[in-house]
Amino acid sequence: MRYVKEVSLTTILGLGLAPAALAQPRPLEDPIPEAIQKGDLVVGVEPFVRFPRTIESNDESASTNPAYARLQYLVPIPDGSGRLVVNDLRGVLYITDESGRAPTEFMDMRTMDIGFDDSMFPNESGLVSVTFHPQFAEEGAPGYGKLYAAYSAGSATGVADYLDDDAESHESVILEFTATDPAADEFSGTSREVFRIGQFAPNHNIGTLAFNPNAAPGSADFGMLYVCLGDGGAAHDPRDFGQSLEVPQAAIIRIDPLGGEAGRGYGIPSDNPFVGQAGMAPEIWASGLRHPQHFSWDTDGKMFIGDIGQNQIEEINLGRAGANYGWRLREGTFSSGYAVGRGPGPVYPRQESDADLVDPIAQYDHDDGAAVGGGYVYRGSAIPALQGKFVFAEFPRGRLLAIDADNLDPDGLNEITEVRLVFDGQERDLVDVAGFPNTYGPGNRVDLRVGIDSDGELYLVTKGDGWVYKLVAP
Ligand SMILES: [Ca+2]
Ligand SMILES: [Ca+2]
Ligand SMILES: [Ca+2]
Ligand SMILES: [Ca+2]
């Protein structure tokens, strides 16, 4: 390993320093020397559907214009219809289907009286995500016609369940919609606020909403809503939410959206890991996450969580109830400056004092990218070579990465390879196809996310050109 300052042991001994000085940890200049390589996984990429261009609500800032549409999630409606929805963070939820029919508007949050506000730069706000209750199409069931959306609202537009007095930027809200006709392609019906939390900073907010698709009806996990919440934002977790269980930030929470209790729009599942423990938010299912914007489940029940890192390390974690994934004491398998009394900056060799923290199952450093998006374990049928691979995004650069979920080491670090993408017979990098000028720095970015349909086929969702692409056999 190379260090920021090349100080040899001999030099230190030669200076006659006390033994305590030898114990001072030294920062790692290149925590992971090995770069991610393109492997032998090859997929074809075909344009699937294109969404309309939308404009930034705070359009005075020309620097925020480059994104064509801020597409982020593509998820199936669980009713056997083959319909798919795609959100544009700027406020529109679109509907299309697995045959690639022209997208139309399912709903437009900008026109609703819900306090919708997506004006906070840097663009992590707006209509952030959506999911459908597993009973969406089951007439007479409690979840019939219900879908859930997360969005950002002005802080004065409601009273938050948490951090109402620490909401200088905005509040993250989960809204429940009940469709009058779940088969309709344009929503009409009612809405109800489920959950709201204050956000002191514009970034690291709410992300994926999802029901475990493997939970059988009648089981304890059926109909429980999993939601990820970042550490609140700014940088370096200034509120120390990562290692606090008092408020459900820097966490994946698990709530019962149909079990509302007095004064709360939701219920607390009795089997949540911190229920009944003093000073702990009972919504928390797992903690110590910095910005776990995307998570998903394999068909065997394993949950894969992408956790976006700070200065150094991007992580994939396996979901476990009650786990603490280490932020801000750790980035990846390394100690952060906070664990060694140094504050923000480089990472350090692992200290021995934090053995209870849960390590990622895969990681890469910022030589290979800047932010991990989530993905899915491929269980479709169109691309046999991809079977059993957890396919995920390094999203700013638009690299599609994979680890072997069928031969996973749950207690170690698994190798990441880059998937080769073939467009119209030619291998190309996605940034050369769908890149757009980077708002945050030099060069182009892609803002790649991975979508899924009800057959388990995967899609590339990008912000630069309004296209969603489908992965196909090469
Ligand atoms: Ca490196
Ligand atoms: Ca408020
Ligand atoms: Ca925030
Ligand atoms: Ca971690």
Side-chain angles (χ1 to χ4, degrees):
M1 288 180 179
R2 290 181 291 143
Y3 299 92
V4 167
K5 289 178 180 170
E6 298 286 349
V7 182
S8 75
L9 195 61
T10 326
T11 307
I12 294 171
L13 291 172
L15 292 173
L17 296 181
L22 295 177
Q24 287 293 315
R26 292 176 293 181
L28 299 173
E29 183 187 72
D30 183 6
I32 304 172
E34 307 80 20
I36 296 173
Q37 305 293 328
K38 285 184 177 171
D40 52 11
L41 280 174
V42 184
V43 298
V45 184
E46 288 182 350
F48 180 63
V49 287
R50 195 178 199 194
F51 293 84
R53 179 185 281 278
T54 49
I55 57 166
E56 218 73 82
S57 59
N58 56 352
D59 201 30
E60 306 92 276
S61 172
S63 68
T64 66
N65 282 338
Y68 185 98
R70 295 198 179 279
L71 309 178
Q72 189 149 299
Y73 289 89
L74 177 150
V75 294
I77 299 181
D79 63 355
S81 67
R83 295 184 298 168
L84 306 166
V85 294
V86 179
N87 70 311
D88 180 339
L89 271 74
R90 289 172 177 147
V92 187
L93 184 64
Y94 294 99
I95 190 164
T96 176
D97 68 15
E98 289 164 11
S99 73
R101 77 174 196 222
T104 53
E105 288 189 7
F106 183 75
M107 61 170 61
D108 185 347
M109 283 197 153
R110 299 172 299 185
T111 65
M112 299 178 180
D113 185 21
I114 55 172
F116 181 84
D117 183 357
D118 71 333
S119 63
M120 309 66 132
F121 194 78
N123 308 118
E124 290 189 34
S125 54
L127 167 52
V128 174
S129 67
V130 64
T131 193
F132 291 78
H133 194 282
Q135 294 171 326
F136 179 72
E138 196 178 324
E139 197 163 359
Y144 180 63
K146 297 200 186 300
L147 62 142
Y148 298 86
Y151 72 100
S152 51
S155 297
T157 64
V159 178
D161 296 285
Y162 286 93
L163 302 174
D164 193 65
D165 58 354
D166 193 12
E168 188 181 336
S169 172
H170 65 281
E171 289 171 352
S172 293
V173 180
I174 300 171
L175 210 58
E176 175 187 83
F177 292 98
T178 304
T180 310
D181 174 12
D185 287 338
E186 188 175 351
F187 175 82
S188 68
T190 57
S191 70
R192 174 183 73 88
E193 191 166 308
V194 174
F195 175 83
R196 180 182 280 248
I197 188 167
Q199 296 287 355
F200 69 86
N203 53 340
H204 305 181
N205 308 319
I206 200 164
T208 300
L209 307 179
F211 296 93
N212 181 351
N214 307 301
S219 70
D221 210 22
F222 186 78
M224 297 301 121
L225 181 62
Y226 290 77
V227 182
C228 57
L229 288 155
D231 67 7
H236 307 292
D237 191 10
R239 299 289 195 273
D240 209 5
F241 285 146
Q243 292 304 309
S244 164
L245 292 169
E246 287 180 23
V247 296
Q249 295 276 53
I252 290 179
I253 66 170
R254 179 173 175 264
I255 59 176
D256 178 0
L258 300 179
E261 299 160 3
R264 246 194 324 226
Y266 57 96
I268 303 292
S270 60
D271 58 344
N272 270 7
F274 303 111
V275 167
Q277 301 195 34
M280 299 185 186
E283 295 87 349
I284 294 176
W285 186 78
S287 68
L289 294 157
R290 179 178 175 273
H291 192 11
Q293 195 179 59
H294 295 261
F295 62 88
S296 68
W297 288 267
D298 192 2
T299 48
D300 66 359
K302 284 196 195 77
M303 180 200 276
F304 290 80
I305 306 165
D307 192 17
I308 302 170
Q310 179 70 55
N311 291 356
Q312 301 281 343
I313 310 293
E314 303 301 313
E315 302 182 3
I316 300 294
N317 293 282
L318 269 190
R320 294 182 202 167
N324 178 345
Y325 295 96
W327 175 244
R328 67 175 179 176
L329 295 175
R330 284 201 197 149
E331 276 199 69
T333 57
F334 305 93
S335 284
S336 74
Y338 291 97
V340 299
R342 300 275 179 90
V347 293
Y348 295 80
R350 174 82 145 273
Q351 306 301 294
E352 296 302 319
S353 55
D354 56 5
D356 292 342
L357 304 177
V358 176
D359 279 336
I361 55 152
Q363 62 182 359
Y364 60 90
D365 72 19
H366 283 194
D367 296 323
D368 270 308
V372 66
Y376 297 92
V377 177
Y378 183 76
R379 299 292 177 195
S381 58
I383 316 169
L386 217 51
Q387 193 62 228
K389 304 295 190 292
F390 175 65
V391 180
F392 63 101
E394 152 49 36
F395 73 79
R397 296 189 192 178
R399 301 174 76 184
L400 192 66
L401 307 176
I403 59 178
D404 188 353
D406 275 348
N407 296 287
L408 195 75
D409 177 359
D411 301 311
L413 287 172
N414 292 265
E415 185 187 13
I416 301 172
T417 57
E418 182 167 5
V419 179
R420 297 177 189 272
L421 306 178
V422 175
F423 298 79
D424 206 13
Q426 187 186 356
E427 185 180 332
R428 301 178 69 185
D429 288 333
L430 189 59
V431 70
D432 296 327
V433 176
F436 66 103
N438 195 345
T439 314
Y440 308 95
N444 283 350
R445 62 188 285 136
V446 175
D447 278 8
L448 170 65
R449 303 304 200 287
V450 180
I452 192 167
D453 67 21
S454 59
D455 296 326
E457 301 301 335
L458 301 183
Y459 299 78
L460 304 182
V461 179
T462 73
K463 295 192 172 86
D465 59 5
W467 279 99
V468 165
Y469 300 85
K470 187 171 186 179
L471 297 187
V472 297

